[in-house]
Amino acid sequence: TTSSVQVDDATDWIARTVVKLCRLGLLKNMCESIGSTVVPEHVVLFHCVRNAIEEEPDTDDQFNGSRCRVLGGECFEAPKPFARVEETHIFLARFYLRLKGLRDASERDVVDESLTNQVRQLILEILAESLTEECNAAARVRASIGKETDLLPIVVADIAKVLDAWLADNEGKVTRDQLSLTEGDKRHVTSLVRLLGNLCFQSRHNQ
């Protein structure tokens, strides 16, 4: 129908605008303008970014990879050409850690746990995918995340927790058909392992 086409066109225009602003290094600004409490708009924002990174074609650019360009790589400022790329990745890492570390009861009361988990998972997937490239920008980001945030040890601890829970749930089960792991758990642990590997790739500090 005409109305559904108009909605699709509007949605596409919004997504294109979000991604363009993200390429210019404004993801943090957009996220903070939504507010500090996780709401559906955060999910929409990170969905747009995740989809843009996954759809970005591979490139041989050893300076600034295509996926890094989605996260601030089109804001090229001398003498620090990767500044916005680093800032965006550091923001994502810290935002993920903040959502994971919500412990204050008064804050928990106003946080939708489902939305929070969705945003955390999307951020994991964004970081895991954006750091797959062998380029100068990704190398600097890996080092910066390792030095300036606690993301790396948290990811390692989360993988251990998932493994411990999986072993406990499957104690006594001997065949593959008996083993249980939900699709959500598979998606989560895959993102954690990918992110861990990509953070350590060609990074002596993180290794």
Side-chain angles (χ1 to χ4, degrees):
T1 64
T2 302
S3 60
S4 63
V5 171
Q6 290 174 338
V7 170
D8 289 341
D9 288 343
T11 302
D12 182 62
W13 180 84
I14 292 171
R16 289 175 180 272
T17 302
V18 165
V19 173
K20 180 59 179 178
L21 292 172
C22 188
R23 289 176 179 274
L24 295 174
L26 298 175
L27 176 59
K28 178 181 178 180
N29 304 69
M30 289 189 287
C31 189
E32 291 180 343
S33 70
I34 296 172
S36 58
T37 301
V38 177
V39 292
E41 286 80 357
H42 283 104
V43 178
V44 174
L45 173 62
F46 289 116
H47 259 298
C48 289
V49 176
R50 197 257 335 248
N51 291 345
I53 289 177
E54 290 183 344
E55 294 169 2
E56 193 73 15
D58 292 331
T59 178
D60 294 328
D61 186 352
Q62 295 298 307
F63 187 67
N64 189 12
S66 60
R67 293 175 181 85
C68 283
R69 280 202 294 270
V70 175
L71 296 177
E74 289 188 5
C75 182
F76 192 88
E77 300 173 336
K80 297 181 179 180
F82 304 128
R84 289 298 181 94
V85 176
E86 288 184 72
E87 289 173 5
T88 302
H89 281 82
I90 292 295
F91 164 73
L92 286 171
R94 289 175 175 165
F95 191 57
Y96 172 81
L97 293 173
R98 185 181 75 78
L99 293 180
K100 182 174 174 54
L102 289 178
R103 290 293 182 268
D104 182 72
S106 62
E107 192 169 3
R108 269 207 311 272
D109 291 340
V110 296
V111 169
D112 186 313
E113 197 66 27
S114 175
L115 289 177
T116 301
N117 289 338
Q118 288 183 65
V119 171
R120 284 171 47 196
Q121 179 60 35
L122 287 167
I123 292 174
L124 275 181
E125 293 171 357
I126 289 169
L127 290 173
E129 186 67 28
S130 69
L131 296 176
T132 58
E133 295 179 302
E134 296 185 51
C135 63
N136 295 343
R140 288 184 64 90
V141 167
R142 293 184 191 105
S144 296
I145 289 178
K147 294 174 182 177
E148 299 181 30
T149 77
D150 294 325
L151 183 63
L152 187 57
I154 292 297
V155 168
V156 173
D158 281 352
I159 293 174
K161 288 178 183 177
V162 171
L163 180 59
D164 287 344
W166 181 77
L167 290 173
D169 291 342
N170 291 281
E171 186 176 4
K173 298 176 182 179
V174 294
T175 66
R176 179 174 297 180
D177 292 339
Q178 293 176 310
L179 300 178
S180 62
L181 191 65
T182 67
E183 290 302 316
D185 288 338
K186 290 178 183 177
R187 178 182 171 190
H188 184 58
V189 75
T190 298
S191 299
L192 288 170
V193 172
R194 285 191 72 207
L195 179 55
L196 176 61
N198 289 333
L199 282 172
C200 293
F201 178 66
Q202 294 183 341
S203 175
R204 182 171 297 178
H205 178 274
N206 291 348
Q207 293 170 1

